Amino acid sequence: MDGQMNDLPSRAHITEVGPREGFQFEPPHITTANKIRLVDALSQTGLPEIECASFVNPKVVPQMADAFAIAEGITRHDRVAYRCIWLNEKGFLQALGSGFDTPALTSGSASDTFLLKNNNSSPDQQLERQRKLRHVYNENGLGSGPVYLFTAFGCNYEGAIPVKKALQRCAELVHICEEAGVPPANITLCDTIGAAGPADVRALVSAVRERWDYPVALHLHDTRGLGIANALAGLELGVARFDSSVGGLGGCPFAGNRSAAGNVATEELALMCDRMGVETGIDLGALVEVASLAEEIVSHPLPGRLSKAGLFNATL
Amino acid sequence: MDGQMNDLPSRAHITEVGPREGFQFEPPHITTANKIRLVDALSQTGLPEIECASFVNPKVVPQMADAFAIAEGITRHDRVAYRCIWLNEKGFLQALGSGFDTPALTSGSASDTFLLKNNNSSPDQQLERQRKLRHVYNENGLGSGPVYLFTAFGCNYEGAIPVKKALQRCAELVHICEEAGVPPANITLCDTIGAAGPADVRALVSAVRERWDYPVALHLHDTRGLGIANALAGLELGVARFDSSVGGLGGCPFAGNRSAAGNVATEELALMCDRMGVETGIDLGALVEVASLAEEIVSHPLPGRLSKAGLFNATL
């Protein structure tokens, strides 16, 4: 191992976001039974955390109208956290009632234009909503949770986001948590549209580290094929928390989609960690099978390569 | 830029191997006219070197029976090297007569089993053939050329290849060149079946560097999704020569192919270099269009993501 790998973590926590990102993105033809089947299969692979659904307006996202049914249908394992997301108080209260795990989520966007299009909020409105949400979290006895910064590296409306701007938006969200007496559990930097390269990841992660002691997590979309290289850049800086999606669920690049693409494929991120001696607790063989199951469920090829090739048997 | 990036080269030389790898792998339905169309389009993107065809037994590889026609049909640009490959003296003499550029190629395999299956040679037979070939190169006035080490990191028959074994096979090939008074132009380490992770790339590249002063090049297949991360690991060690294939030509993971997959996608490797300040001379926009052309020609989706998403406009 050379000097470049000194900061590698001994262990990485991978949160599977495929069910939420994937089912939200796919046309609404996927049955609740199949969604439950995928979550149950994922929970057998050693993954510590699975993002299963979102509580959002079913008029806007009909794919997630069965979020309650998914929560009721899955078979829970003690060692797995079954997470969901929401954008506002109504969604949070639904999530709370659903039985999913609900780590307090404070979110915002580095790009103001993306925030307007995605959350229909101005930066001030978003901060006010997040402040109220954090208050509701406290009322419901929630502890610290992640701060999510969307479009941390760039967006399709504003182009590249300067580190200074991303830090400013991040600081506003961190302040909301600290002000409420509940510091963030981590700061998750999202490359929402696959704008980053490895140098960009290093620059922002390093800047966030210089400013705060909170753990940094990465949520990396593979829109332009650099996702796994960006994950490597993060790993080598000691980043030990990642979101990823089995098979690369969350987008279908083969449909010529120009607005979204899935996250880094969980099985490939886990393979890279494994090949570098970073423990994930994941059973790679089992996870590769689930990637194939995910393709069967969405009934089109997913971007992940590993499930097509199979694991390399290094010990033949 | 942090310390981890100190060894980044200021410039990288990318050799496009898509036409040779891709057309060799695809079913033989691709017309000679379309092969010529792709090579001509690639030669307009700023790529310095294109591997266009191979001179091998047409009974074994019927897809390459039109190698001469491709050589005659393409429109040459002075700044582009139009390369081809061969496995034996007969193939080399055909290549020489074809008009393609023919840098002296000395090749072998770190895996003896792969060598037997791919070249029908024992290690000793291979060395003897390469020695004779190098003699023929000298007779034909060829200078130094690349040493290609196949399955440098592992193979499907022998599993992971220890660095020591790869170095030994590499040393035998280097010796053939030095013995002939024509030291290698570079040592190209091939991850023929996508066995490597970033740490493996670092270990072997560093070991080769410790032993020889010859430039190291990487030929990375993306069989398991780690190709671009492996390229990043090489780039950060100062590796400044890469083979890659436009669109990821060279394999169709979507057919559930378990034995082969394309190289790292040239446009994604070029994008990563660009985002890291490593000059390639490539016009990214033009190359992304050629990736779409490649998909049109093979008439199935290729693994590359960038051509589906389009370039991110950082300067909006």
Side-chain angles (χ1 to χ4, degrees), chain B residues 80-102:
Chain B
V80 182
Y82 298 85
R83 227 179 61 184
C84 62
I85 67 161
W86 53 85
L87 291 176
N88 53 34
E89 181 173 344
K90 183 184 174 191
F92 166 63
L93 294 174
Q94 290 177 319
L96 204 58
S98 71
F100 279 125
D101 299 296
T102 54

Side-chain angles (χ1 to χ4, degrees), chain A:
Chain A
M1 299 296 163
D2 67 336
Q4 295 186 325
M5 298 170 71
N6 283 348
D7 296 335
L8 273 183
S10 59
R11 190 175 177 84
H13 177 105
I14 298 180
T15 298
E16 171 60 44
V17 297
R20 197 268 306 168
E21 288 231 353
F23 298 149
Q24 184 171 304
F25 182 85
E26 295 287 333
H29 63 62
I30 300 167
T31 65
T32 304
N34 269 334
K35 293 176 182 177
I36 290 166
R37 195 169 151 223
L38 183 66
V39 171
D40 284 346
L42 285 164
S43 69
Q44 301 281 350
T45 62
L47 278 160
E49 193 167 355
I50 305 170
E51 198 172 87
C52 304
S54 58
F55 289 89
V56 289
N57 187 340
K59 289 201 189 72
V60 181
V61 188
Q63 293 95 321
M64 280 294 153
D66 58 358
F68 278 104
I70 296 171
E72 284 165 20
I74 59 174
T75 305
R76 290 162 184 282
H77 294 267
D78 298 345
R79 47 163 179 67
V80 182
Y82 299 85
R83 227 179 62 185
C84 61
I85 67 162
W86 53 87
L87 291 175
N88 53 34
E89 181 173 344
K90 184 184 175 191
F92 166 63
L93 294 174
Q94 289 177 319
L96 204 58
S98 72
F100 280 125
D101 299 297
T102 54
L105 178 63
T106 303
S107 63
S109 172
S111 158
D112 301 341
T113 317
F114 177 84
L115 184 69
L116 193 63
K117 307 249 183 190
N118 191 62
N119 300 44
N120 191 30
S121 302
S122 71
D124 290 347
Q125 288 172 321
Q126 178 70 7
L127 291 180
E128 191 44 40
R129 287 176 189 173
Q130 295 302 304
R131 197 170 285 113
K132 282 186 184 154
L133 252 180
R134 183 62 253 190
H135 183 66
V136 176
Y137 295 156
N138 286 13
E139 287 175 340
N140 286 275
L142 269 63
S144 70
V147 160
Y148 264 71
L149 185 67
F150 306 135
T151 61
F153 301 92
C155 94
N156 291 318
Y157 310 107
E158 298 188 11
I161 302 286
V163 166
K164 193 180 165 198
K165 172 81 182 293
L167 276 183
Q168 179 201 329
R169 292 284 173 242
C170 195
E172 294 163 349
L173 297 169
V174 168
H175 178 67
I176 287 173
C177 299
E178 292 174 333
E179 194 180 41
V182 195
N186 69 69
I187 296 173
T188 301
L189 303 172
C190 306
D191 188 12
T192 310
I193 58 126
D200 308 298
V201 169
R202 291 207 174 94
L204 185 55
V205 168
S206 302
V208 168
R209 286 266 189 77
E210 274 170 35
R211 181 135 175 199
W212 296 286
D213 290 331
Y214 306 123
V216 175
L218 288 167
H219 175 104
L220 301 167
H221 281 263
D222 196 26
T223 317
R224 292 166 178 86
L226 303 190
I228 195 75
N230 291 339
L232 176 61
L235 261 183
E236 288 178 356
L237 283 179
V239 172
R241 289 191 71 96
F242 294 88
D243 290 351
S244 60
S245 63
V246 67
L249 262 173
C252 181
F254 314 110
N257 186 298
R258 299 183 81 79
S259 64
N263 289 62
V264 170
T266 306
E267 65 277 13
E268 292 169 1
L269 177 59
L271 172 64
M272 185 168 75
C273 288
D274 183 67
R275 304 284 299 152
M276 299 180 82
V278 177
E279 179 59 46
T280 64
I282 291 170
D283 175 339
L284 268 174
L287 187 58
V288 167
E289 284 179 31
V290 180
S292 301
L293 171 64
E295 285 195 319
E296 183 192 318
I297 288 175
V298 299
S299 48
H300 63 73
L302 289 171
R305 320 272 211 276
L306 181 53
S307 59
K308 286 85 172 178
L311 283 167
F312 168 62
N313 185 348
T315 59
L316 272 172

Side-chain angles (χ1 to χ4, degrees), chain B residues 209-222:
Chain B
R209 287 267 190 75
E210 275 171 33
R211 183 137 172 198
W212 297 285
D213 290 330
Y214 307 121
V216 175
L218 289 167
H219 175 104
L220 301 167
H221 281 263
D222 197 25

Side-chain angles (χ1 to χ4, degrees), chain B residues 61-296:
Chain B
V61 188
Q63 293 95 320
M64 279 296 152
D66 58 357
F68 277 104
I70 296 170
E72 284 165 20
I74 59 174
T75 305
R76 289 161 184 281
H77 293 267
D78 297 346
R79 46 164 181 65
V80 182
Y82 298 85
R83 227 179 61 184
C84 62
I85 67 161
W86 53 85
L87 291 176
N88 53 34
E89 181 173 344
K90 183 184 174 191
F92 166 63
L93 294 174
Q94 290 177 319
L96 204 58
S98 71
F100 279 125
D101 299 296
T102 54
L105 178 63
T106 302
S107 64
S109 173
S111 158
D112 301 342
T113 317
F114 177 85
L115 185 69
L116 194 63
K117 307 248 184 192
N118 192 61
N119 301 45
N120 191 31
S121 304
S122 71
D124 289 348
Q125 288 171 321
Q126 179 70 6
L127 290 180
E128 191 44 37
R129 288 176 189 171
Q130 295 302 304
R131 198 171 284 112
K132 281 187 184 155
L133 251 180
R134 183 63 252 190
H135 183 67
V136 177
Y137 296 156
N138 286 13
E139 287 175 341
N140 287 275
L142 268 64
S144 69
V147 160
Y148 264 73
L149 185 67
F150 307 135
T151 62
F153 301 92
C155 94
N156 290 319
Y157 310 108
E158 298 187 9
I161 302 285
V163 167
K164 194 180 164 197
K165 173 81 183 294
L167 275 183
Q168 179 201 330
R169 293 284 174 240
C170 195
E172 294 164 349
L173 298 169
V174 168
H175 179 68
I176 287 174
C177 300
E178 291 174 334
E179 193 181 43
V182 195
N186 70 68
I187 296 172
T188 301
L189 304 172
C190 306
D191 188 12
T192 310
I193 58 127
D200 308 298
V201 169
R202 291 208 174 94
L204 186 55
V205 168
S206 302
V208 168
R209 287 267 190 75
E210 275 171 33
R211 183 137 172 198
W212 297 285
D213 290 330
Y214 307 121
V216 175
L218 289 167
H219 175 104
L220 301 167
H221 281 263
D222 197 25
T223 316
R224 293 169 177 84
L226 304 190
I228 195 75
N230 291 339
L232 176 60
L235 210 53
E236 287 177 356
L237 284 179
V239 172
R241 287 189 72 94
F242 295 87
D243 290 352
S244 60
S245 62
V246 67
L249 262 173
C252 181
F254 313 111
N257 186 299
R258 299 184 81 78
S259 64
N263 289 62
V264 170
T266 306
E267 65 277 14
E268 292 169 2
L269 176 59
L271 172 65
M272 185 168 75
C273 288
D274 183 67
R275 303 284 300 152
M276 300 181 81
V278 177
E279 179 59 46
T280 63
I282 292 171
D283 174 340
L284 269 173
L287 188 58
V288 166
E289 283 179 31
V290 180
S292 301
L293 172 65
E295 284 195 320
E296 182 192 319

